[in-house]
Amino acid sequence: MEEINELIEQRIKKLDELKALGVEPFGGSFDIKDYAEDLINKHGSTAKEELEASPVQCVIAGRIIMMRDFGKAAFAHVQDSTAKIQIYFRKDILNEKYSVVKKLDIGDIIGISGKLFRTRTNELTIEVDDFTFLTKSLRPLPEKWHGLKDIETRYRQRYVDLIVNPEVKETFKKRSTIIKAVRDFLETKGFIEVETPMMHQIPGGAAARPFKTHHNALDIELYLRIAPELYLKRLLVGGYEKVYELNKNFRNEGISTKHNPEFSMLEFYIAYKDYNYLMSLTEELISYAAEKTLGTLKVSFGDEDIDFTPPWDRMPFLDSLTQKGVPADIMNDIDKAAAWAKANKIGIDKGASLGKVLDEIFKEKVEPYLIQPTFIIDYPVELSPLAKRKKDSPGLVERFELFVSGREIANAFSELNDPMDQRERFQRQVEAKEKGDEETMWMDEDFIRALEHGMPPAAGEGIGIDRLVMLLTNSQSIRDVILFPQLKPEA
């Protein structure tokens, strides 16, 4: 820390010296005409002699990330938003202005003009004929500018991480491409994007703990939304047939490599379809996003090679358990299921329903082994209070979850549109909450009133955007795909 403070003092001294020279250290607008990547792509193979015979003038701006001073000349690398390129300062070209070069530090942002040439080592370089100070950096980049490795610092100071680790910037460029591809795909299918409230009087649409806040003017408790589902289905009641929302959800739960309390979720709903239609649509959507982002449907994730080529496997929830050695005779007996879970060291909450017990067994025995894209279908009804029952098996619902590389990516179902059945399920959720289950849904009378007006048969789905980006960028932690993830307060 003492060394850092000393370096900051040295830079502040240079700042004062620049002002004494009449140089504004924090400049204004600068007319950029070129970018490093374009110059490299266009002239990367241009011969030295050709550059001398037909000079290429350029004007770029960027941050100095490397500098070598040789007295009457200096080399530096400047990094803009696209790439880095070498620049060359010469005293006999810049004359009196060369004294300002001596005030440059790694991290400073400058605008330069000059012409391209090749050095003795044949590196494409800009010979600077003029430059402008745009920002004086007062704090040195970490680890003597050889990269930022400390994971905590990377997340906490993402601005520095983006400067010194180009692959991080590339990940977030891909994230933008993925999100654009998702929106483009849905819009070509006739969906419209909508916005629904972020603050709810009744948190609904998922089984999760909400964040609570207070509205002073109305003097009421409000909750940051855990899901937009119930509002989107109100829109189906109102006459929209294809809607989607890509936005933030908030859940007051744990933080891990798979979970951040604030996360991006895509939810979309389509009238007159069921969950079978959505499985095919999901294969199309994710394949489209992979192709647009990576140019291939075969991607690497950790040690696994994932193939997104449709069709993907479909497996009933109960069958997935028996295939992993879970006895069939526990599937309809809460006591046997709980005993089997305990014998296999699977933690079960006190008072958990049969469906919850089977779900915990699934998470332990099945989920980690679902590497290739797999739809797990037909869940117990108590796990899915908003889904339509299967006609031939009323204890199950028309629901699927998509798993890839041992993690859930999507959750979807044929929507329950029977208001009386919905009220009964909400009531059972309320009873479970009264027994201590905090991750259950609340009674929502207005949503039931909407259903009583009549919601068309429909299917709906949620896709975790952050987890999808993780898969398509080979990122092992959700924090690697969220620019500013939630962290403990800095010590």
Side-chain angles (χ1 to χ4, degrees):
M1 182 61 71
E2 187 175 331
E3 181 184 359
I4 294 293
N5 290 336
E6 185 177 330
L7 290 172
I8 291 174
E9 288 177 8
Q10 292 173 6
R11 291 185 177 215
I12 291 174
K13 182 180 179 182
K14 288 184 180 180
L15 178 74
D16 293 336
E17 291 169 350
L18 286 169
K19 291 178 179 178
L21 291 171
V23 176
E24 172 51 60
F26 302 101
S29 63
F30 184 82
D31 188 13
I32 297 171
K33 299 186 184 303
D34 304 281
Y35 288 91
E37 186 176 55
D38 294 337
L39 293 173
I40 293 166
N41 289 341
K42 189 173 181 179
H43 301 288
S45 59
T46 305
K48 176 181 180 180
E49 293 76 17
E50 188 176 345
L51 290 173
E52 291 173 351
S54 302
V56 176
Q57 289 294 130
C58 51
V59 179
I60 72 166
R63 186 184 298 273
I64 296 172
I65 58 170
M66 185 280 292
M67 192 158 185
R68 300 191 306 271
D69 188 346
F70 297 102
K72 295 182 179 181
F75 284 97
H77 282 163
V78 167
Q79 179 174 283
D80 64 15
S81 63
T82 64
K84 66 179 180 180
I85 191 167
Q86 183 165 265
I87 63 174
Y88 179 50
F89 299 100
R90 283 176 51 180
K91 185 175 183 179
D92 59 345
I93 293 177
L94 294 171
N95 300 314
E96 295 83 7
K97 199 166 187 178
Y98 191 76
S99 61
V100 180
V101 174
K102 299 295 185 180
K103 311 301 179 187
L104 289 172
D105 286 304
I106 290 172
D108 290 351
I109 300 173
I110 59 173
I112 65 168
S113 63
K115 65 179 181 180
L116 292 175
F117 79 105
R118 290 196 176 276
T119 63
R120 293 177 182 175
T121 59
N122 207 38
E123 183 171 351
L124 188 67
T125 305
I126 301 173
E127 184 178 74
V128 180
D129 58 39
D130 195 15
F131 73 98
T132 303
F133 239 107
L134 298 176
T135 303
K136 179 64 184 171
S137 171
L138 300 182
R139 184 175 292 272
L141 293 173
E143 297 186 18
K144 299 189 185 298
W145 319 291
H146 294 310
L148 180 61
K149 305 301 180 187
D150 179 70
I151 198 74
E152 178 82 7
T153 305
R154 282 187 52 219
Y155 296 147
R156 197 175 295 282
Q157 299 178 26
R158 182 69 86 185
Y159 41 89
V160 179
D161 190 25
L162 291 166
I163 294 170
V164 301
N165 292 318
E167 69 277 7
V168 174
K169 188 182 291 183
E170 187 61 30
T171 292
F172 288 102
K173 285 183 180 178
K174 287 181 179 177
R175 181 187 174 103
S176 179
T177 301
I178 292 165
I179 290 174
K180 182 179 185 301
V182 166
R183 283 194 164 105
D184 289 347
F185 175 87
L186 289 172
E187 285 165 17
T188 62
K189 295 291 184 180
F191 286 80
I192 65 167
E193 185 170 10
V194 298
E195 294 178 339
T196 62
M198 286 289 184
M199 293 190 294
H200 294 180
Q201 291 186 30
I202 298 174
R209 293 185 182 94
F211 287 94
K212 183 190 292 189
T213 186
H214 185 80
H215 193 291
N216 291 334
L218 295 177
D219 193 25
I220 58 173
E221 300 299 320
L222 290 174
Y223 302 87
L224 293 184
R225 79 170 181 201
I226 55 177
E229 176 171 344
L230 301 188
Y231 281 97
L232 293 172
K233 289 200 281 197
R234 285 173 169 94
L235 296 179
L236 296 183
V237 173
Y240 289 101
E241 292 186 7
K242 297 179 179 180
V243 294
Y244 80 92
E245 184 167 9
L246 201 166
N247 219 319
K248 295 292 186 183
N249 288 348
F250 307 86
R251 297 182 184 176
N252 196 356
E253 298 169 351
I255 296 176
S256 71
T257 57
K258 298 180 184 179
H259 299 92
N260 193 66
E262 175 184 350
F263 59 98
S264 296
M265 176 69 76
L266 166 71
E267 289 209 17
F268 55 97
Y269 293 81
I270 180 168
Y272 311 114
K273 300 295 184 183
D274 65 8
Y275 76 142
N276 290 303
Y277 174 86
L278 281 188
M279 280 187 264
S280 298
L281 187 70
T282 303
E283 290 173 340
E284 279 189 72
L285 189 159
I286 293 179
S287 298
Y288 179 85
E291 189 71 48
K292 283 291 182 180
T293 306
L294 305 173
T296 179
L297 297 182
K298 297 180 179 180
V299 305
S300 295
F301 185 72
D303 297 328
E304 306 289 348
D305 293 321
I306 308 297
D307 188 353
F308 284 106
T309 305
W312 303 338
D313 287 342
R314 303 180 184 190
M315 186 185 307
F317 177 82
L318 297 179
D319 288 355
S320 73
L321 292 170
T322 56
Q323 286 187 18
K324 288 297 181 180
V326 179
D329 66 348
I330 76 167
M331 302 299 178
N332 295 303
D333 190 314
I334 177 62
D335 294 330
K336 287 183 178 180
W340 193 90
K342 184 177 180 180
N344 285 272
K345 296 181 171 57
I346 298 172
I348 302 296
D349 291 337
K350 185 179 180 180
S353 66
L354 175 61
K356 285 280 187 79
V357 173
L358 294 179
D359 192 40
E360 292 302 323
I361 295 172
F362 173 87
K363 290 175 182 177
E364 186 74 24
K365 296 296 184 181
V366 181
E367 185 174 325
Y369 306 100
L370 298 173
I371 304 303
Q372 297 305 318
T374 303
F375 293 113
I376 299 296
I377 65 174
D378 303 341
Y379 280 72
V381 66
E382 61 260 45
L383 291 177
S384 313
L386 299 170
K388 186 181 286 288
R389 294 178 191 267
K390 288 179 65 68
K391 290 180 181 179
D392 55 352
S393 301
L396 303 176
V397 293
E398 295 184 355
R399 174 189 174 190
F400 72 78
E401 288 187 306
L402 171 64
F403 292 89
V404 184
S405 192
R407 62 198 67 202
E408 177 199 341
I409 303 300
N411 180 31
F413 35 82
S414 304
E415 300 295 338
L416 176 62
N417 61 343
D418 178 341
M420 291 181 287
D421 190 355
Q422 183 65 80
R423 179 181 290 279
E424 290 175 8
R425 296 202 211 174
F426 274 158
Q427 186 57 46
R428 285 195 289 273
Q429 292 280 300
V430 170
E431 291 167 1
K433 184 178 290 291
E434 290 172 350
K435 293 178 181 178
D437 189 346
E438 294 184 38
E439 295 188 1
T440 55
M441 295 187 188
W442 296 29
M443 179 67 73
D444 190 332
E445 292 288 354
D446 181 70
F447 178 66
I448 293 173
R449 179 168 56 195
L451 292 185
E452 289 171 347
H453 282 284
M455 187 181 85
E461 180 168 352
I463 296 178
I465 292 297
D466 304 312
R467 291 188 182 183
L468 179 60
V469 173
M470 287 171 65
L471 283 173
L472 297 184
T473 59
N474 196 11
S475 300
Q476 300 305 304
S477 171
I478 196 170
R479 295 181 183 184
D480 292 329
V481 299
I482 296 175
L483 279 167
F484 300 100
Q486 192 61 244
L487 302 168
K488 292 179 181 179
E490 193 168 2

